[in-house]
Coordinates of all heavy atoms in Angstrom, one line a residue:
M1 N 143.3 45.8 102.9 CA 141.9 45.7 102.7 C 141.6 45.8 101.1 O 142.1 46.7 100.5 CB 141.2 46.9 103.4 CG 139.7 47.0 103.1 SD 139.1 48.4 103.8 CE 137.9 47.7 104.9
R2 N 140.9 44.8 100.6 CA 140.6 44.7 99.2 C 139.2 45.3 98.9 O 138.3 45.1 99.6 CB 140.7 43.3 98.7 CG 142.0 42.7 98.8 CD 142.1 41.3 98.5 NE 141.9 41.1 97.1 CZ 141.7 40.0 96.5 NH1 141.7 38.8 97.2 NH2 141.6 39.9 95.2
R3 N 139.1 46.0 97.8 CA 137.8 46.5 97.4 C 137.1 45.5 96.5 O 137.7 44.8 95.8 CB 138.0 47.8 96.6 CG 138.4 49.0 97.4 CD 138.3 50.2 96.6 NE 138.7 51.3 97.3 CZ 138.7 52.6 96.9 NH1 138.3 52.8 95.7 NH2 139.1 53.6 97.7
S4 N 135.8 45.5 96.7 CA 135.0 44.6 95.8 C 135.0 45.1 94.3 O 135.2 46.3 94.1 CB 133.6 44.6 96.4 OG 132.7 44.1 95.4
K5 N 134.9 44.2 93.4 CA 134.9 44.6 92.0 C 133.5 45.4 91.7 O 133.5 46.0 90.7 CB 135.0 43.3 91.1 CG 136.3 42.7 91.1 CD 136.4 41.6 90.1 CE 137.8 41.0 90.1 NZ 137.9 40.0 89.1
R6 N 132.6 45.2 92.5 CA 131.3 45.8 92.3 C 131.3 47.3 92.9 O 130.3 48.0 92.6 CB 130.2 45.0 93.0 CG 130.0 43.6 92.3 CD 128.9 42.9 93.0 NE 127.7 43.7 92.8 CZ 126.5 43.2 92.9 NH1 126.3 41.9 93.1 NH2 125.5 43.9 92.8
F7 N 132.3 47.7 93.5 CA 132.4 49.0 94.1 C 132.6 50.0 93.0 O 133.4 49.9 92.1 CB 133.6 49.1 95.1 CG 133.8 50.5 95.6 CD1 132.9 51.1 96.6 CD2 134.7 51.4 95.1 CE1 133.1 52.3 97.0 CE2 134.9 52.6 95.5 CZ 134.1 53.1 96.5
R8 N 131.7 51.1 93.0 CA 131.8 52.2 92.0 C 131.8 53.5 92.9 O 131.0 53.7 93.7 CB 130.6 52.3 91.1 CG 130.7 51.2 90.1 CD 129.5 51.5 89.1 NE 129.6 50.7 88.0 CZ 128.8 50.7 87.0 NH1 127.8 51.6 87.0 NH2 129.0 50.0 85.9
P9 N 132.7 54.4 92.5 CA 132.7 55.7 93.2 C 131.4 56.4 92.8 O 130.8 56.2 91.7 CB 133.9 56.4 92.5 CG 134.7 55.4 91.9 CD 133.8 54.3 91.6
V10 N 130.9 57.2 93.7 CA 129.7 58.0 93.5 C 129.8 58.9 92.3 O 128.8 59.0 91.5 CB 129.5 58.9 94.7 CG1 128.2 59.8 94.5 CG2 129.2 58.1 96.0
F11 N 131.0 59.4 91.9 CA 131.1 60.3 90.8 C 130.8 59.6 89.5 O 130.1 60.0 88.7 CB 132.6 60.8 90.7 CG 132.9 61.6 89.6 CD1 132.4 62.9 89.4 CD2 133.6 61.1 88.5 CE1 132.6 63.7 88.3 CE2 133.9 61.9 87.4 CZ 133.4 63.2 87.3
T12 N 131.3 58.3 89.4 CA 131.0 57.5 88.2 C 129.5 57.2 88.1 O 128.9 57.3 87.0 CB 131.8 56.2 88.2 OG1 133.2 56.5 88.4 CG2 131.7 55.4 86.9
V13 N 128.9 56.9 89.1 CA 127.4 56.6 89.1 C 126.7 57.8 88.7 O 125.7 57.7 88.0 CB 127.0 56.0 90.4 CG1 125.5 55.8 90.5 CG2 127.7 54.7 90.7
A14 N 127.0 59.0 89.2 CA 126.3 60.2 89.0 C 126.6 60.7 87.6 O 125.7 61.5 87.0 CB 126.7 61.3 90.0
L15 N 127.7 60.4 87.0 CA 128.0 60.9 85.7 C 127.1 60.4 84.5 O 126.8 61.2 83.7 CB 129.5 60.5 85.4 CG 130.2 61.2 84.2 CD1 130.2 62.7 84.5 CD2 131.6 60.7 84.1
T16 N 126.6 59.2 84.6 CA 125.8 58.6 83.6 C 124.5 59.4 83.4 O 124.3 59.8 82.2 CB 125.5 57.1 83.9 OG1 126.8 56.5 84.0 CG2 124.7 56.5 82.8
P17 N 123.8 59.7 84.4 CA 122.5 60.5 84.1 C 122.8 61.9 83.6 O 122.1 62.5 82.9 CB 121.8 60.5 85.4 CG 122.6 59.7 86.4 CD 123.8 59.2 85.7
I18 N 123.9 62.5 84.1 CA 124.3 63.8 83.7 C 124.6 63.8 82.2 O 124.2 64.7 81.5 CB 125.5 64.4 84.5 CG1 125.0 64.6 86.0 CG2 126.0 65.6 83.9 CD1 126.1 64.9 86.9
I19 N 125.4 62.9 81.7 CA 125.7 62.8 80.3 C 124.4 62.5 79.5 O 124.2 63.1 78.4 CB 126.7 61.6 80.0 CG1 128.0 62.0 80.6 CG2 126.8 61.3 78.6 CD1 129.0 60.9 80.6
A20 N 123.5 61.7 79.9 CA 122.2 61.5 79.3 C 121.4 62.8 79.2 O 120.8 63.1 78.2 CB 121.5 60.4 80.0
L21 N 121.3 63.5 80.3 CA 120.6 64.7 80.3 C 121.1 65.8 79.3 O 120.4 66.4 78.6 CB 120.5 65.3 81.7 CG 119.7 66.6 81.9 CD1 118.2 66.3 81.6 CD2 119.9 67.1 83.3
V22 N 122.5 65.9 79.4 CA 123.1 66.9 78.4 C 122.9 66.5 77.0 O 122.6 67.3 76.1 CB 124.6 67.0 78.7 CG1 125.4 67.7 77.7 CG2 124.9 67.6 80.1
T23 N 122.9 65.2 76.7 CA 122.7 64.7 75.3 C 121.2 65.0 74.9 O 121.0 65.5 73.8 CB 122.9 63.2 75.2 OG1 124.3 63.0 75.6 CG2 122.7 62.7 73.8
L24 N 120.3 64.8 75.8 CA 118.9 65.0 75.5 C 118.7 66.5 75.3 O 117.9 66.9 74.3 CB 118.0 64.5 76.7 CG 116.5 64.6 76.5 CD1 116.0 63.8 75.3 CD2 115.8 64.3 77.8
V25 N 119.2 67.4 76.1 CA 119.0 68.8 75.9 C 119.6 69.3 74.6 O 119.0 70.1 73.9 CB 119.6 69.6 77.1 CG1 119.7 71.0 76.9 CG2 118.7 69.3 78.4
A26 N 120.8 68.8 74.3 CA 121.4 69.1 73.0 C 120.6 68.7 71.8 O 120.4 69.5 70.8 CB 122.8 68.6 72.9
A27 N 120.1 67.5 71.9 CA 119.3 67.0 70.7 C 117.9 67.8 70.6 O 117.5 68.1 69.5 CB 119.0 65.6 70.9
L28 N 117.2 68.1 71.7 CA 116.0 68.7 71.7 C 116.1 70.2 71.4 O 115.1 70.8 70.8 CB 115.2 68.5 72.9 CG 114.7 67.1 73.2 CD1 114.1 66.9 74.5 CD2 113.9 66.6 72.1
S29 N 117.2 70.9 71.7 CA 117.3 72.2 71.5 C 117.7 72.7 70.1 O 117.7 73.8 69.7 CB 118.3 72.8 72.5 OG 119.7 72.4 72.1
G30 N 118.2 71.8 69.3 CA 118.6 72.0 68.0 C 120.1 72.4 67.9 O 120.6 72.8 66.9
A31 N 120.8 72.2 69.0 CA 122.2 72.5 69.1 C 123.0 71.6 68.1 O 124.0 72.2 67.5 CB 122.8 72.4 70.5
C32 N 122.6 70.4 68.0 CA 123.4 69.5 67.1 C 123.3 70.0 65.6 O 124.3 70.0 64.8 CB 122.9 68.1 67.2 SG 123.1 67.4 68.9
T33 N 122.0 70.4 65.2 CA 121.9 70.8 63.9 C 122.6 72.1 63.6 O 123.2 72.3 62.6 CB 120.3 71.1 63.6 OG1 119.6 69.8 63.8 CG2 120.1 71.5 62.2
W34 N 122.6 73.1 64.6 CA 123.3 74.3 64.5 C 124.8 74.1 64.4 O 125.4 74.7 63.5 CB 123.0 75.2 65.7 CG 123.7 76.5 65.7 CD1 123.4 77.6 65.1 CD2 125.0 76.8 66.4 NE1 124.3 78.6 65.3 CE2 125.3 78.1 66.1 CE3 125.8 76.0 67.2 CZ2 126.5 78.7 66.6 CZ3 127.0 76.6 67.7 CH2 127.3 77.9 67.4
A35 N 125.3 73.2 65.1 CA 126.8 72.9 65.1 C 127.1 72.3 63.8 O 128.1 72.7 63.1 CB 127.1 71.9 66.2
G36 N 126.3 71.4 63.3 CA 126.5 70.8 61.9 C 126.4 71.8 60.8 O 127.3 71.8 59.9
F37 N 125.5 72.7 60.9 CA 125.4 73.8 59.9 C 126.7 74.7 60.0 O 127.2 75.1 59.0 CB 124.1 74.7 60.1 CG 124.1 75.8 59.2 CD1 123.7 75.6 57.9 CD2 124.4 77.1 59.6 CE1 123.7 76.7 57.0 CE2 124.4 78.2 58.7 CZ 124.0 78.0 57.4
K38 N 127.1 75.1 61.1 CA 128.3 75.9 61.3 C 129.5 75.2 60.7 O 130.4 75.9 60.1 CB 128.5 76.3 62.8 CG 127.6 77.3 63.2 CD 127.8 78.6 62.4 CE 126.9 79.7 62.9 NZ 127.1 80.9 61.9
M39 N 129.6 73.9 60.9 CA 130.8 73.2 60.4 C 130.7 73.1 58.9 O 131.7 73.0 58.2 CB 130.9 71.8 61.0 CG 131.3 71.8 62.4 SD 131.7 70.2 63.1 CE 130.1 69.5 63.3
S40 N 129.5 73.1 58.3 CA 129.4 72.9 56.9 C 129.0 74.2 56.2 O 128.9 74.2 54.9 CB 128.1 72.0 56.6 OG 128.4 70.7 57.2
E41 N 129.0 75.4 56.8 CA 128.5 76.6 56.3 C 129.3 77.0 55.1 O 128.8 77.4 54.0 CB 128.6 77.7 57.3 CG 127.9 79.0 56.9 CD 127.8 80.0 58.0 OE1 128.4 79.8 59.1 OE2 127.1 81.0 57.8
A42 N 130.6 76.9 55.1 CA 131.5 77.4 53.9 C 131.2 76.5 52.7 O 131.1 77.0 51.6 CB 133.0 77.3 54.3
A43 N 131.1 75.2 52.9 CA 130.8 74.3 51.8 C 129.5 74.6 51.2 O 129.3 74.5 50.0 CB 131.0 72.8 52.2
L44 N 128.5 74.7 52.1 CA 127.1 75.0 51.6 C 127.1 76.4 50.8 O 126.4 76.5 49.8 CB 126.1 75.1 52.8 CG 125.8 73.7 53.4 CD1 125.1 73.9 54.7 CD2 125.0 72.9 52.4
D45 N 127.8 77.4 51.3 CA 127.9 78.7 50.7 C 128.5 78.5 49.3 O 128.0 79.1 48.3 CB 128.7 79.6 51.5 CG 128.5 81.1 51.0 OD1 127.4 81.5 50.7 OD2 129.6 81.7 51.0
D46 N 129.6 77.8 49.2 CA 130.3 77.5 47.9 C 129.4 76.8 46.9 O 129.3 77.2 45.7 CB 131.6 76.7 48.0 CG 132.6 77.5 48.8 OD1 132.6 78.7 48.9 OD2 133.6 76.9 49.3
Y47 N 128.6 75.8 47.4 CA 127.7 75.0 46.6 C 126.5 76.0 46.1 O 126.1 75.9 45.0 CB 127.2 73.9 47.3 CG 126.3 73.0 46.5 CD1 126.9 72.2 45.4 CD2 125.0 72.8 46.7 CE1 126.1 71.4 44.6 CE2 124.2 72.0 45.9 CZ 124.8 71.3 44.8 OH 124.0 70.5 44.0
A48 N 126.0 76.8 47.0 CA 124.9 77.7 46.6 C 125.4 78.7 45.6 O 124.6 79.0 44.5 CB 124.5 78.5 47.9
H49 N 126.6 79.2 45.6 CA 127.1 80.0 44.5 C 127.3 79.2 43.2 O 127.0 79.8 42.2 CB 128.5 80.6 44.9 CG 128.4 81.7 46.0 ND1 127.7 82.9 45.7 CD2 128.9 81.8 47.2 CE1 127.8 83.6 46.8 NE2 128.4 83.0 47.8
A50 N 127.7 78.0 43.3 CA 127.8 77.2 42.1 C 126.4 76.9 41.5 O 126.3 76.9 40.3 CB 128.5 75.8 42.4
V51 N 125.4 76.7 42.3 CA 124.1 76.5 41.8 C 123.6 77.8 41.1 O 123.0 77.7 40.0 CB 123.1 76.0 42.9 CG1 121.6 76.1 42.5 CG2 123.5 74.7 43.4
A52 N 123.8 78.9 41.8 CA 123.4 80.2 41.2 C 124.1 80.5 39.9 O 123.5 81.1 39.0 CB 123.6 81.3 42.2
A53 N 125.3 80.1 39.7 CA 126.1 80.3 38.5 C 125.8 79.3 37.5 O 126.1 79.4 36.3 CB 127.6 80.3 38.8
G54 N 125.0 78.2 37.8 CA 124.7 77.1 36.9 C 125.8 76.1 36.7 O 125.8 75.4 35.7
T55 N 126.9 76.1 37.5 CA 127.9 75.2 37.4 C 127.9 74.0 38.2 O 128.7 73.1 38.1 CB 129.3 75.9 37.6 OG1 129.3 76.4 39.0 CG2 129.5 77.1 36.6
A56 N 126.8 73.9 39.1 CA 126.7 72.7 39.9 C 126.0 71.6 39.1 O 125.1 71.8 38.3 CB 125.8 73.0 41.1
G57 N 126.5 70.4 39.4 CA 125.9 69.2 38.7 C 124.5 68.9 39.2 O 124.1 69.4 40.3
E58 N 123.9 68.1 38.5 CA 122.4 67.6 38.9 C 122.5 66.4 39.8 O 123.6 65.7 40.0 CB 121.7 67.2 37.6 CG 121.5 68.3 36.7 CD 120.5 69.3 37.2 OE1 119.5 69.0 37.9 OE2 120.7 70.5 37.0
G59 N 121.5 66.2 40.5 CA 121.4 65.0 41.4 C 121.7 65.3 42.8 O 122.1 66.3 43.2
Q60 N 121.6 64.2 43.6 CA 121.9 64.3 45.0 C 123.3 64.3 45.4 O 124.1 63.6 44.8 CB 121.2 63.1 45.7 CG 121.3 63.0 47.2 CD 120.5 61.9 47.8 OE1 119.7 61.2 47.1 NE2 120.7 61.6 49.0
K61 N 123.7 65.3 46.2 CA 125.1 65.4 46.6 C 125.3 65.6 48.1 O 124.4 66.0 48.8 CB 125.7 66.6 45.9 CG 125.8 66.6 44.4 CD 126.6 67.8 43.9 CE 126.5 68.0 42.4 NZ 126.9 67.0 41.6
R62 N 126.5 65.2 48.6 CA 126.8 65.4 50.0 C 127.6 66.7 50.1 O 128.7 66.7 49.6 CB 127.6 64.2 50.5 CG 127.8 64.1 51.9 CD 126.6 63.5 52.7 NE 127.0 63.5 54.0 CZ 126.1 63.4 55.0 NH1 124.8 63.3 54.7 NH2 126.5 63.3 56.3
I63 N 127.1 67.7 50.8 CA 127.7 68.9 51.0 C 128.0 69.1 52.5 O 127.0 69.3 53.2 CB 126.9 70.1 50.4 CG1 126.4 69.9 49.0 CG2 127.7 71.4 50.5 CD1 127.4 69.7 47.9
G64 N 129.2 69.0 52.9 CA 129.5 69.1 54.3 C 128.9 68.0 55.0 O 129.1 66.8 54.6
L65 N 128.1 68.2 56.0 CA 127.4 67.2 56.7 C 126.0 67.0 56.3 O 125.3 66.1 56.9 CB 127.4 67.6 58.2 CG 128.8 67.7 58.9 CD1 128.6 68.2 60.4 CD2 129.5 66.4 58.9
F66 N 125.6 67.7 55.2 CA 124.2 67.6 54.8 C 124.2 67.0 53.4 O 125.1 67.1 52.6 CB 123.6 69.0 54.8 CG 123.5 69.6 56.2 CD1 124.5 70.4 56.6 CD2 122.4 69.3 57.0 CE1 124.4 71.0 57.9 CE2 122.3 69.9 58.2 CZ 123.3 70.7 58.7
T67 N 123.0 66.4 53.0 CA 122.7 65.9 51.7 C 121.8 66.8 51.0 O 120.7 67.1 51.6 CB 122.1 64.5 51.8 OG1 123.0 63.6 52.5 CG2 121.8 63.9 50.4
V68 N 122.1 67.3 49.8 CA 121.3 68.1 49.0 C 120.7 67.3 47.9 O 121.4 66.6 47.1 CB 122.1 69.3 48.4 CG1 121.2 70.2 47.5 CG2 122.7 70.1 49.5
A69 N 119.4 67.2 47.9 CA 118.6 66.3 47.0 C 118.5 66.9 45.6 O 118.9 66.3 44.6 CB 117.3 65.9 47.6
S70 N 117.9 68.0 45.5 CA 117.6 68.6 44.1 C 117.7 70.1 44.2 O 116.7 70.8 44.4 CB 116.3 68.1 43.6 OG 115.3 68.5 44.5
P71 N 118.9 70.7 44.0 CA 119.0 72.1 44.0 C 118.3 72.8 42.8 O 118.2 72.2 41.8 CB 120.5 72.4 43.9 CG 121.0 71.2 43.2 CD 120.1 70.1 43.6
E72 N 117.7 74.0 43.1 CA 117.1 74.7 41.9 C 117.5 76.1 42.0 O 117.7 76.7 43.1 CB 115.6 74.7 42.2 CG 114.9 73.3 42.1 CD 113.4 73.4 42.4 OE1 112.8 74.5 42.3 OE2 112.9 72.3 42.6
R73 N 117.7 76.7 40.8 CA 118.0 78.1 40.8 C 116.7 78.9 40.9 O 115.7 78.5 40.3 CB 118.7 78.4 39.4 CG 120.1 77.9 39.3 CD 120.7 78.2 38.0 NE 120.9 79.7 37.9 CZ 121.3 80.2 36.8 NH1 121.6 79.5 35.7 NH2 121.3 81.6 36.7
R74 N 116.7 79.9 41.6 CA 115.5 80.8 41.8 C 115.9 82.2 41.4 O 117.0 82.6 41.5 CB 115.0 80.8 43.3 CG 114.7 79.4 43.8 CD 113.3 79.0 43.3 NE 113.0 77.7 43.8 CZ 111.8 77.3 44.0 NH1 110.8 78.1 43.7 NH2 111.5 76.1 44.4
R75 N 114.9 83.0 41.1 CA 115.1 84.4 40.9 C 115.6 85.1 42.1 O 115.2 84.7 43.2 CB 113.8 85.1 40.4 CG 113.4 84.6 39.0 CD 112.1 85.3 38.7 NE 111.0 84.8 39.4 CZ 110.0 85.6 39.9 NH1 110.0 86.8 39.7 NH2 109.1 85.0 40.6
V76 N 116.4 86.1 42.0 CA 116.9 86.9 43.1 C 115.8 87.4 43.9 O 114.9 88.0 43.4 CB 117.9 87.9 42.7 CG1 118.4 88.8 43.8 CG2 119.0 87.4 41.9
G77 N 115.9 87.2 45.3 CA 114.9 87.7 46.1 C 113.7 86.9 46.3 O 112.8 87.2 47.1
V78 N 113.6 85.7 45.7 CA 112.4 84.9 45.8 C 112.9 83.7 46.7 O 113.8 82.9 46.3 CB 111.9 84.4 44.5 CG1 110.8 83.4 44.6 CG2 111.5 85.6 43.6
V79 N 112.1 83.5 47.8 CA 112.5 82.3 48.7 C 111.2 81.5 48.8 O 110.1 82.1 49.2 CB 112.9 82.8 50.0 CG1 113.1 81.6 51.0 CG2 114.2 83.6 49.9
P80 N 111.1 80.2 48.4 CA 109.9 79.5 48.4 C 109.6 79.2 50.0 O 110.4 78.9 50.8 CB 110.3 78.2 47.8 CG 111.7 78.1 47.8 CD 112.3 79.5 47.8
V81 N 108.3 79.3 50.3 CA 107.8 79.0 51.6 C 107.1 77.7 51.6 O 106.2 77.5 50.8 CB 106.9 80.1 52.1 CG1 106.3 79.8 53.5 CG2 107.6 81.4 52.1
P82 N 107.5 76.7 52.4 CA 106.9 75.4 52.4 C 105.5 75.4 52.9 O 105.0 76.2 53.6 CB 107.7 74.5 53.3 CG 108.7 75.4 53.9 CD 108.6 76.7 53.3

């Protein structure tokens, strides 16, 4: 008995919407940004120390998975609120 080329197991058909749902939930929950930050945290920390010490160069840079456009040194304890 030969199977048709159009035959798909139920598991394969059901897997597509499950993957789409997991991707949507990950994107909307901020999990992707959190994971990217965790992967880049050490590089961002090193760059922040370089900016605070005045040894970081000017201009846009790629730090880990993020792009830093214009870093600024601030007084200790002062955090700008957008």
Side-chain angles (χ1 to χ4, degrees):
M1 177 185 238
R2 294 176 72 188
R3 288 189 180 184
S4 163
K5 288 184 179 184
R6 295 181 59 158
F7 174 76
R8 285 187 169 183
V10 175
F11 177 74
T12 305
V13 173
L15 194 58
T16 303
I18 291 171
I19 291 172
L21 182 63
V22 168
T23 302
L24 182 66
V25 168
L28 294 177
S29 71
C32 299
T33 304
W34 177 82
F37 176 76
K38 283 299 182 184
M39 288 189 284
S40 304
E41 189 171 14
L44 289 167
D45 190 45
D46 291 344
Y47 186 69
H49 287 296
V51 168
T55 59
E58 296 291 323
Q60 187 172 346
K61 295 187 188 308
R62 188 84 176 160
I63 311 298
L65 298 173
F66 296 94
T67 301
V68 177
S70 55
E72 297 178 16
R73 290 179 63 187
R74 301 284 179 152
R75 290 181 290 142
V76 175
V78 177
V79 177
V81 178

